[in-house]
Each structure stands twice: as structure tokens, then as C-alpha cells.
């Protein structure tokens, strides 16, 4: 809000505040008075209703007593009572409750007793019952005298009380009218308000009527609603609002005029400030008076003249630095590509300091500084030295000394004295950067961003001890690492925590780099440290979320993603995908006998042997507990059977040493049961092929363990694929999920034999149940890929194992 607006608002608050408060006070007072008077009228009306109903009940009691005293002829007394107008009807009943006499024209039932509990439903008449006795005092029956409750009765009550009266139906549900004197315009609103009230409560309707509900209660058994209209004049609120609006308009006009006169000099000053903010430093403010505003205008004019001399010099460097910082911030926030981030940091540092060349080096395992990105180093090497990558041992030369001691360096250098392995320069500045978390061991070189590192892999080492036996050139001799360098300079970086060095060469104009450049370079070096730590943290988190921490294999989370991906690939290219479900036999006995640490040792050794028996393209997962899964791309059932037999032999033939007690290794022999399922033969989705492999695993368990079984399932939507007897191997050597050229008879799943294959037809493969081997029948029996060269690490990264399934009696 502008100053003029604030002044106007302040004036309006001062003027309109009392007006609004007065109007609210008048309106609330009138409403309170009207409400009090209406409540008082309803209280008087309620008392009159009770009096009228009580008088009627007393009259009916007198009529009933008169009939009961007519000893000889009760019927004649009843007729006489009705004819005299004391009651509208009389009913005589015997002791058993049977009606013995009713006067003609008696009111319709139900009748509501004056002293009885309220009945459900509409009330047609009020009645009083008395006992009919003989001369000896014995009860002969009852006499009931009644008076109808009709519109005339309700009208008499309204006339007596001076308010509108409504008789309700006392049944369940919303309030319903029996008789009323309300007009049709307000009846619904009165009934809606009465439905929210209990006995003796008062409320107000939206149209200004006050409503009170009385009864049924002792002495007044009728459910009645009384209402009176508000006595407040209908146009009073409108008049008050009109007065307030008129006063507000007049106040706004006066406030605007006063604020305009007061703020005119300030408006001129604000307009000049806006012009200066838009880049027009020639803007001036007219000095109209000698008061505070005049002095402010003069000071502003002097300020604009002095500022103009600095803006031209600052504009270029400001825009350039702003652009580099924007690119740097966007890069740090939008990517985990370490090379790209370091490239942006280096380019920004060169632009901010006016350097001609530079490099960002990271410490790698073994104590070597390796350049991750460089700029402008071409042509700065001796003719006999043209390295493809800038590599400097930590502690050697200028850059190595900075990394070893953690102390920034800057100055001049004779190109002839440049240390070996570093680019030639005349001026230089180098700043180390360390982990943002503080002192700690160097963690080695950055891992390139991308997919997680394989299980069992990793990088990072602590740089310690001398790293180079030879001395550096010039003023940069070989520097021994912490403990051998004689301490570090104040303001340096802990060398034990050094991640790398940011080095710049040859400032424009041949000037040396100054302290401002050192401060700027430290800022960019801190960004580099944050980038390295962020990338490493991101990659470590990605690895941990996808691998099992005990075995280093992929976990169940990555299994679900991988099998979906592999099934889609197999479906797209018409290939096969074999899934092996593995379970260590009687693994619980190992835990119970040797303890859970021994069980962990067995699982770790099993995972190591598992990785040693599969190809690089195969994927190994720990599903949970002692359960594992293998995905074998481009592999049919025969090839999977070969792998299963080889895995069983690798586990069965060599015991696993575990320690039941410290220093006492015990050889433990374990076996593995394996279930095999193939996509698309046994299932059409990843989940289904997993379930098929699991069923085959249970079949292997049931067959005595230490064996494998192929799933007995058959895909219902596809035909069973026969095994070719002598088909020609496809050109790429990969099995096809299609029609074979020479089908043979398909054997039952329980007796499937996994046959080995080779370019010749005489290889033998052991069967899954340990029986004698059978010869292979064709080249397609070969599983593409298994051979002597297999990866020893076949997994990924982890967030913890999947909970094991129930054993189902394995």
C-alpha cells in the first residue's frame, strides 16, 4: 500500500471508527431490547396458556365428579353434564375397562389425560378420569369427562395470550402441525425453529419471529408452540447502513484530499526513485520547500549523481557473475552428473577471477590427484610431455602440496621451474576442498554417476604416508602427508579430509591472484566439495536401496523391477527368460546348531559361489531369508537346468567353514533345492513366472531336496513349445520363443531331464533327480553364454532383504 493509501486509511480509521462502533452499538441495543420484550411477551403468554389449560382440566374434573356422585343414574347424570356444557362428552367404563355408556357427540379419540403422561400422536381432546363407586365405597368403574382440542380451542388460547399458538402432533419425527393460528408465510419457519427446541426454550427465526415451545409437562399436557413477531421497525437496519455508507463516502473524499496534499512531494520522490531503479540515473527531484522533505530531495539528487559514476563499471562484472552463479545453482540443483557440475564450477571460477586456464582435481585411491575437468591447458606442456590427463601425486609439486597440507597457495612461477607433470604458468592459485561434514579421511575419487556399483564393489581409501619418492620442481618439494608435513597453516583445510584441489593459472593482465580471488576461489571450492559429497551420497543411497546388505546381491525390491523389465524385453524380441528359485535345504538347522552368525556366513558364502556360476548378464537376488532368485536372460529350460545342476554341485561338493566358537572353524555341508520356470512357456507375466518357479521349488523340496525341478505349469493362452530334435541353431545362437521345426514328444514336468548341448550331439547332462546322465539331442539344448568366463560379482545395491515367506513344510 502506498503512503497516500496508508494516510487515507488512517484518516478513515479515525473518522469511521467511532461511526461504525456507534452504529453497531445502536443496532445491538435495539436488538437486545426487542429480544427482551419478545421473551417477556412469550413468558406471559406461556403462563396464560398454562392457566387456561389448568382451568379447563379443573372444569372437566368437576364434571366427572358430578357424574360419579349421581349414584342412582350415572348415565342420566352424564347426559345432564353434557347438556349443561360442562363437558363435550362423558364415557362410563366398568371395572374391566369396558365402555358401558358414551354420551352422543363425544369427541374423537385419542384423549389426553390432564394429569397423565403425554401420548404419541395428535391430541383430539383433553380428559379427566375419576372412579365410580357405590354407596359402600366399592369401585364400579370410571367416569371420563372430555373437552375437544380443536381449532376453536387453539384460537381461544391465541386470543387469551395475544400470540400465535400452534398445537403439534406429538408423534416421532419432525414437528407436525395439528392446529395453528400461524399464517402460511411464517408457518414453515416457525415449525423448523420449534423442531430444534425442548420444553421452555426460546429461539429466533430468520424472518425476525421469536418462538417458544411449552409442554407437554405436568399440568399442561399439550405440545404447544408460541411465537410473536419482532417489534423492531423493519427499515431500521437499512437506515443505519445507509447512514454509515454516506458517512464513509464523505470521509473517503476528505481523506483522499488531505492525503494528496500531504504526499505530493513524496510521490515526486518515489517517481524519481522508480526512474533510478529502472536505470535512469539522470532523474532529479524538485526541491519545493526547506523542510525535511526538501532536504531529503536534495540528498537524493546528490546520491544519484555519485551513483552514476559507479554503475557503468559494475554493470558488466555484475551481469557476468550473476549469470555464472545462476548456471552454477541450476546445475547443482538439477543434476547428479559430477563431470557436468565440476565443469560449471571451473568455468564460473575462471570467469570470476579472470584466469586463462584451470583444472579441478580429485584425490583417487593410492594418493593420486587426477583432473576431472580442465580448461585452457592445451599448449602448456613441454614438447616431450603431452599427458592425456593431468595426474599429480599427493604431496608432489604445487598442486600435490596443496592437497597434502590443506593450505591454499598463490603467487608467481618461472615457467622453467614448473614441477614435473603440471602445466606451465606465470601466476597460479590453488585451493583445496574437503568434505563439508568436517575433518575425516579422504574417501578417494568420485564414482562416476550412473547405475549403482555392483554388489561387493566400492571405492574409497584413506590417503596416508608418503605418496611419491621423487621431489617436485621449483619451490614445491615432495610433501609427506599428515604427520610428516609439520602441521598446517591457519585457514587451511584438514589434509586428511581433502577431496581435491581447484587450481587456476595465469590471470588476465599478468597480475597475480589477490586475496579477493582467494576468497572467491574458496567459495567455488566449497561448491565443488558439496557436489562431490552429494553425488557420492546419492550413489551410495541408490546402491543401498537396491542391494541386500549381508550378501551384496540385489534385493527383492530390485527383483520386482528387473523381472518386469526382462519379461518386457523377452516379449518384445521373442526371447526366453528363465527364472530359478533357490532355497538352502534345512537352513534352520544350521542356525540352531551353530548360531545365527554362522548362518550369515553360510549365506554370504552361498552368494559368493552363486555369483561365480552365472554370466555377467544374469541377475542374482536375495528374496529373503535363505531364499534366492536367478534371472537368466536368453535362456531356455534346458540351459536353466544346466545352470541348476552346476549350482547344486558347487554348493554340495565343497563344505563351508563356519565358527561355532571363536577360533574353532567347523566345516558345514549344505545343499540347495531349485525350481525352474521359463517365460513364456510357463507364465505370461513376471509375477506368474516367479510363482511358477516357486511351485517348482516346492516340488524339488518334496522330491527329497538337493535337486531341481522344472515347473509343471503350461501357459493357457499359448501352445506348448516342443523341443526340436535336430533343429538348426539360429544365426545369433539365442533360443527363440517360437515354433520349432522338428518337434519331439513333450515329457511330463515331473520327469523333465535337463540335457546339455554342444555343437556336437554327444554331451551328457545329469538329470535333476541325480539319476544317470542322458545324452543331449540337439544343438538347441545349449544354453547360450555359460562358459569359463563368468563375472564374480553379479548384483547391485540394497535397502534390506525382503521378509522371508513361510516355509510350507520345507
Amino acid at each position: 500500500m502506498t503512503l497516500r493509501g496508508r494516510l487515507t486509511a488512517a484518516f478513515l480509521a479515525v473518522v469511521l471508527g467511532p461511526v461504525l462502533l456507534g452504529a453497531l452499538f445502536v443496532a445491538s441495543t435495539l436488538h437486545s431490547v426487542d429480544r427482551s420484550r419478545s421473551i417477556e411477551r412469550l413468558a406471559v403468554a406461556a403462563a396464560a396458556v398454562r392457566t387456561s389449560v389448568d382451568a379447563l382440566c379443573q372444569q372437566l374434573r368437576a364434571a366427572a365428579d358430578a357424574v360419579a356422585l349421581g349414584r342412582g343414574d350415572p348415565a342420566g347424570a352424564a347426559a345432564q353434564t353434557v347438556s349443561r356444557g360442562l363437558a363435550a362428552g362423558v364415557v362410563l367404563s366398568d371395572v374391566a375397562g369396558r365402555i358401558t355408556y358414551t354420551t352422543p357427540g363425544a369427541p374423537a379419540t385419542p384423549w389426553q389425560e390432564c394429569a397423565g403422561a403425554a401420548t404419541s400422536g395428535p391430541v383430539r381432546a383433553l380428559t379427566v378420569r375419576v372412579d365410580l363407586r357405590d354407596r359402600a365405597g366399592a369401585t364400579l368403574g370410571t367416569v371420563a369427562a372430555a373437552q375437544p382440542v380443536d381449532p376453536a380451542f387453539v384460537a381461544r388460547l391465541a386470543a387469551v395470550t395475544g400470540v400465535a399458538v400452534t398445537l403439534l402432533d406429538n408423534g416421532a419425527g419432525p414437528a407436525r402441525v395439528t392446529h395453528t393460528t400461524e399464517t402460511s408465510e411464517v408457518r414453515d419457519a416457525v415449525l423448523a425453529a420449534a423442531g430444534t427446541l425442548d420444553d421452555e426454550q426460546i429461539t429466533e427465526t430468520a424472518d425476525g419471529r421469536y418462538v417458544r415451545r411449552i409442554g407437554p409437562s405436568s399440568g399442561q399436557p399439550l405440545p404447544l408452540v408460541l411465537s410473536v413477531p419482532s417489534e423492531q421497525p423493519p427499515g431500521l437496519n437499512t437506515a443505519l447502513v445507509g447512514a454509515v455508507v454516506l458517512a464513509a463516502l464523505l470521509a473517503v473524499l476528505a481523506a483522499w484530499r488531505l492525503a494528496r496534499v500531504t504526499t505530493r512531494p513524496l510521490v515526486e520522490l518515489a517517481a524519481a526513485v522508480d526512474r533510478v531503479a529502472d536505470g535512469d540515473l539522470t532523474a532529479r527531484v524538485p526541491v519545493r520547500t526547506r523542510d525535511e522533505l526538501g532536504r531529503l530531495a536534495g540528498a537524493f539528487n546528490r546520491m544519484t549523481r555519485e551513483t552514476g559514476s559507479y554503475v557503468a563499471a559494475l554493470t558488466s562484472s555484475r551481469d557476468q557473475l550473476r549469470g555464472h552463479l545462476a548456471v552454477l545453482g541450476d546445475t547443482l540443483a538439477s543434476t547428479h552428473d559430477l563431470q557436468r557440475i565440476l565443469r560449471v564450477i571451473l568455468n564460473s571460477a575462471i570467469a570470476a577471477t579472470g584466469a586463462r586456464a584451470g583444472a579441478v582435481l580429485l584425490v583417487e585411491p593410492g594418493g593420486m590427484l587426477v583432473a576431472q575437468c580442465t580448461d585452457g591447458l592445451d599448449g602448456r606442456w613441454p614438447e616431450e610431455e603431452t599427458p592425456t590427463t593431468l595426474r599429480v601425486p599427493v604431496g608432489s609439486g604445487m598442486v600435490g602440496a596443496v592437497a597434502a597440507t590443506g593450505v591454499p597457495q598463490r603467487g608467481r612461477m618461472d615457467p622453467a621451474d614448473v614441477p614435473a607433470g603440471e602445466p606451465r604458468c606465470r601466476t597460479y592459485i590453488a585451493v583445496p576442498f574437503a568434505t563439508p561434514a568436517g575433518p575425516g579421511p579422504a574417501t578417494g575419487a568420485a564414482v562416476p554417476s550412473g547405475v549403482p556399483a555392483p554388489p561387493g564393489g566400492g571405492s574409497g581409501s584413506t590417503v596416508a604416508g608418503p605418496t611419491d619418492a621423487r621431489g617436485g620442481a621449483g619451490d614445491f618439494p615432495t610433501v609427506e602427508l599428515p604427520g610428516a608435513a609439520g602441521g598446517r597453516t591457519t585457514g587451511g583445510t584438514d589434509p586428511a579430509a581433502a577431496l581435491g584441489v581447484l587450481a587456476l593459472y595465469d590471470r588476465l593482465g599478468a597480475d597475480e591472484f589477490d586475496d579477493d580471488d582467494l576468497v572467491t576461489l574458496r567459495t567455488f571450492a566449497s561448491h565443488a566439495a558439496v557436489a562431490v559429497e552429494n553425488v557420492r551420497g546419492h550413489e551410495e543411497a541408490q546402491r543401498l536401496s537396491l542391494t541386500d546388505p549381508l550378501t551384496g546381491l540385489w534385493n527383492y525390491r530390485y527383483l520386482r523391477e528387473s523381472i518386469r523389465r526382462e519379461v518386457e524385453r523377452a516379449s518384445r524380441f521373442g526371447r526366453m527368460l528363465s527364472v530359478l528359485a533357490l532355497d538352502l535345504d534345512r537352513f534352520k538347522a544350521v542356525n540352531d546348531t551353530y548360531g545365527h552368525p554362522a548362518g550369515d556366513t553360510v549365506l554370504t558364502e552361498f552368494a559368493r559361489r552363486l555369483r561365480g556360476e552365472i554370466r555377467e548378464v544374469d541377475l542374482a537376488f536375495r528374496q529373503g531369508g535363505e531364499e534366492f532368485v536367478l534371472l537368466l536372460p536368453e535362456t531356455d529350460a534346458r540351459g536353466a537346468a544346466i545352470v541348476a545342476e552346476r549350482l547344486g554341485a558347487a554348493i554340495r561338493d565343497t563344505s563351508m567353514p563356519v565358527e561355532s566358537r571363536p577360533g574353532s572353524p567347523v566345516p558345514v555341508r549344505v545343499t540347495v533345492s531349485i525350481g525352474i520356470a521359463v517365460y513364456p512357456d510357463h507364465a505370461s507375466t513376471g509375477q506368474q513366472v516367479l510363482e511358477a518357479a516357486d511351485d517348482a521349488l516346492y516340488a524339488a523340496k518334496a522330491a527329497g531336496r538337493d535337486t531341481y525341478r522344472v515347473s509343471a505349469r503350461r501357459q493357457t493362452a499359448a501352445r506348448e513349445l516342443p523341443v526340436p530334435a535336430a533343429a538348426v541353431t539360429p544365426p545369433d545362437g539365442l533360443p527363440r520363443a517360437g515354433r520349432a521345426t522338428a518337434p519331439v514328444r513333450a515329457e511330463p514336468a515331473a520327469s523333465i531331464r535337463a540335457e546339455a548341448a554342444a555343437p556336437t550331439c554327444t554331451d551328457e547332462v545329469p538329470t535333476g533327480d541325480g539319476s544317470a546322465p542322458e545324452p543331449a539331442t540337439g544343438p538347441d539344448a545349449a544354453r547360450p553364454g555359460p562358459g569359463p568366463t563368468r563375472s564374480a560379482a553379479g548384483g547391485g545395491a540394497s535397502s534390506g532383504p525382503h521378509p522371508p515367506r513361510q516355509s510350507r513344510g520345507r
Side-chain angles (χ1 to χ4, degrees):
M1 181 182 291
T2 62
L3 178 61
R4 180 176 297 178
R6 290 197 297 272
L7 289 175
T8 303
F11 181 81
L12 291 177
V14 172
V15 174
L16 292 182
V19 174
L20 292 175
L21 290 177
L24 291 176
F25 176 76
V26 170
S28 61
T29 302
L30 291 177
H31 180 73
S32 299
V33 171
D34 178 63
R35 180 179 177 83
S36 299
R37 295 184 61 180
S38 298
I39 291 174
E40 183 179 354
R41 289 178 59 192
L42 288 175
V44 173
V49 167
R50 291 193 185 91
T51 301
S52 299
V53 173
D54 184 65
L56 178 59
C57 289
Q58 293 298 332
Q59 176 183 331
L60 292 176
R61 180 172 296 279
D65 288 338
V67 174
L69 293 177
R71 307 291 184 181
D73 186 13
Q80 185 179 4
T81 299
V82 171
S83 63
R84 294 173 58 186
L86 297 179
V90 177
V91 175
L92 302 179
S93 304
D94 58 14
V95 177
R98 293 187 296 271
I99 297 175
T100 58
Y101 176 76
T102 301
T103 59
T109 57
W111 293 357
Q112 172 65 53
E113 293 189 22
C114 289
T119 60
S120 176
V123 178
R124 303 301 183 189
L126 284 176
T127 182
V128 174
R129 296 180 182 273
V130 299
D131 292 335
L132 181 62
R133 301 177 184 276
D134 58 9
R135 296 183 181 276
T139 301
L140 300 177
T142 60
V143 177
Q147 190 70 29
V149 178
D150 51 12
F153 174 77
V154 175
R156 288 195 299 272
L157 288 180
V160 170
T161 58
V163 300
V165 179
T166 300
L167 175 63
L168 299 179
D169 180 352
N170 204 29
R176 292 175 292 180
V177 176
T178 301
H179 306 295
T180 182
T181 61
E182 297 282 1
T183 61
S184 58
E185 290 80 5
V186 300
R187 181 182 303 168
D188 293 337
V190 170
L191 288 178
T196 64
L197 299 176
D198 293 331
D199 188 20
E200 303 301 332
Q201 289 185 336
I202 298 175
T203 187
E204 184 178 0
T205 63
D207 57 357
R209 295 185 70 87
Y210 292 90
V211 180
R212 177 170 181 170
R213 187 166 182 170
I214 59 172
S217 60
S218 178
Q220 202 290 98
L222 299 178
L224 298 175
V225 175
L226 309 180
S227 71
V228 293
S230 172
E231 295 183 356
Q232 182 174 324
L236 179 61
N237 291 333
T238 304
L240 287 175
V241 171
V244 171
V245 170
L246 180 59
L249 292 176
L250 294 176
V252 167
L253 182 60
W256 177 82
R257 178 63 181 172
L258 179 62
R260 183 175 181 276
V261 172
T262 304
T263 60
R264 180 182 178 184
L266 296 177
V267 170
E268 294 174 344
L269 178 60
V273 170
D274 290 337
R275 291 175 59 190
V276 170
D278 292 336
D280 182 10
L281 295 179
T282 62
R284 297 294 182 267
V285 180
V287 180
R288 301 181 183 277
T289 61
R290 297 183 179 275
D291 57 5
E292 291 81 358
L293 292 178
R295 294 199 300 272
L296 178 61
F300 175 82
N301 294 335
R302 290 193 303 272
M303 179 189 68
T304 54
R305 285 192 297 269
E306 295 174 0
T307 304
S309 60
Y310 297 103
V311 170
L314 294 177
T315 299
S316 177
S317 60
R318 179 203 63 187
D319 293 341
Q320 185 180 21
L321 182 59
R322 180 182 299 169
H324 284 290
L325 291 178
V327 172
L328 176 59
D330 293 341
T331 304
L332 290 175
S334 62
T335 182
H336 286 99
D337 185 351
L338 184 60
Q339 298 297 326
R340 177 183 173 190
I341 296 174
L342 295 181
R343 170 63 61 185
V344 172
I345 291 174
L346 178 60
N347 292 339
S348 301
I350 290 176
T353 58
R356 297 179 183 270
V360 179
L361 303 94
L362 295 182
V363 178
E364 288 193 345
M368 184 66 69
L369 277 168
V370 179
Q372 302 298 315
C373 61
T374 60
D375 189 5
L377 296 186
D378 295 339
R380 293 180 175 270
W381 308 95
E383 294 182 358
E384 65 277 7
E385 298 182 13
T386 307
T388 57
T389 303
L390 176 59
R391 301 174 62 89
V392 179
V394 175
S396 175
M398 182 269 292
V399 177
V402 170
T405 62
V407 180
Q409 295 192 21
R410 61 183 176 87
R412 288 186 173 273
M413 181 184 299
D414 189 340
D417 296 332
V418 173
E422 296 189 29
R424 292 178 299 185
C425 65
R426 294 187 179 276
T427 59
Y428 65 88
I429 183 171
V431 176
F433 54 88
T435 171
T443 56
V447 181
S449 61
V451 297
S459 63
S461 63
T462 302
V463 180
T467 60
D468 196 354
R470 64 180 178 81
D475 297 331
F476 307 100
T478 299
V479 179
E480 302 217 349
L481 294 180
R488 64 187 181 92
T489 304
T490 302
T493 300
D494 187 351
L499 295 176
V501 175
L502 176 57
L504 302 181
Y505 305 99
D506 290 343
R507 185 177 182 182
L508 293 174
D511 294 331
E512 291 188 18
F513 294 94
D514 53 24
D515 291 338
D516 292 336
D517 295 325
L518 182 61
V519 173
T520 302
L521 205 61
R522 277 178 170 169
T523 300
F524 287 108
S526 66
H527 287 305
V530 171
V532 172
E533 287 301 305
N534 286 346
V535 170
R536 290 177 178 174
H538 172 75
E539 292 167 352
E540 179 66 11
Q542 188 177 12
R543 186 187 69 81
L544 292 176
S545 69
L546 297 178
T547 56
D548 172 57
L550 177 63
T551 62
L553 300 180
W554 300 109
N555 60 13
Y556 180 72
R557 174 184 177 186
Y558 195 59
L559 168 61
R560 296 183 63 181
E561 177 184 345
S562 299
I563 196 168
R564 176 191 58 78
R565 183 180 63 247
E566 293 298 334
V567 166
E568 289 178 356
R569 181 182 293 118
S571 175
R572 183 165 59 252
F573 296 106
R575 308 292 189 183
M576 289 185 175
L577 171 68
S578 291
V579 178
L580 275 62
L582 303 90
D583 187 279
L584 293 177
D585 298 325
R586 299 183 177 88
F587 182 72
K588 184 176 183 298
V590 176
N591 284 333
D592 294 343
T593 304
Y594 304 104
H596 288 278
D600 292 344
T601 302
V602 170
L603 291 176
T604 304
E605 176 63 18
F606 176 78
R608 186 190 67 79
R609 297 185 187 181
L610 188 65
R611 287 194 295 264
E613 297 296 332
I614 60 177
R615 305 170 299 177
E616 292 184 358
V617 297
D618 298 334
L619 298 175
F621 305 85
R622 183 185 180 193
Q623 191 171 10
E626 69 274 21
E627 299 181 1
F628 299 81
V629 173
L630 287 180
L631 299 186
L632 310 179
E634 310 285 359
T635 306
D636 55 12
R638 184 173 288 108
I642 296 173
V643 175
E645 182 64 29
R646 190 167 61 244
L647 286 175
I651 303 303
R652 178 193 320 111
D653 295 345
T654 306
S655 62
M656 300 182 182
V658 301
E659 291 188 2
S660 60
R661 295 187 304 275
S664 301
V666 176
V668 174
R669 289 189 177 274
V670 296
T671 58
V672 62
S673 297
I674 305 174
I676 301 173
V678 180
Y679 171 85
D681 291 357
H682 302 135
S684 60
T685 66
Q687 183 62 33
Q688 291 176 358
V689 76
L690 274 178
E691 294 172 356
D694 198 51
D695 293 341
L697 172 61
Y698 288 121
K701 289 284 188 180
R705 298 180 174 87
D706 191 18
T707 185
Y708 66 87
R709 286 291 183 269
V710 181
S711 174
R713 291 189 182 185
R714 278 296 177 264
Q715 177 65 18
T716 58
R719 296 189 302 274
E720 181 178 352
L721 299 179
V723 179
V728 177
T729 302
D732 56 3
L734 301 178
R736 293 290 194 271
R739 177 181 295 276
T741 58
V744 299
R745 180 179 58 86
E747 299 181 1
S751 62
I752 288 179
R753 299 292 192 266
E755 299 175 347
T760 63
C761 303
T762 58
D763 288 352
E764 295 182 348
V765 180
T767 60
D769 55 2
S771 60
E774 297 181 0
T777 59
D780 281 352
R783 171 180 178 260
T789 58
R790 287 184 299 272
S791 173
S798 152
S799 63
H802 185 70
R805 297 168 295 178
Q806 295 183 353
S807 63
R808 290 202 284 177
R810 296 185 183 177

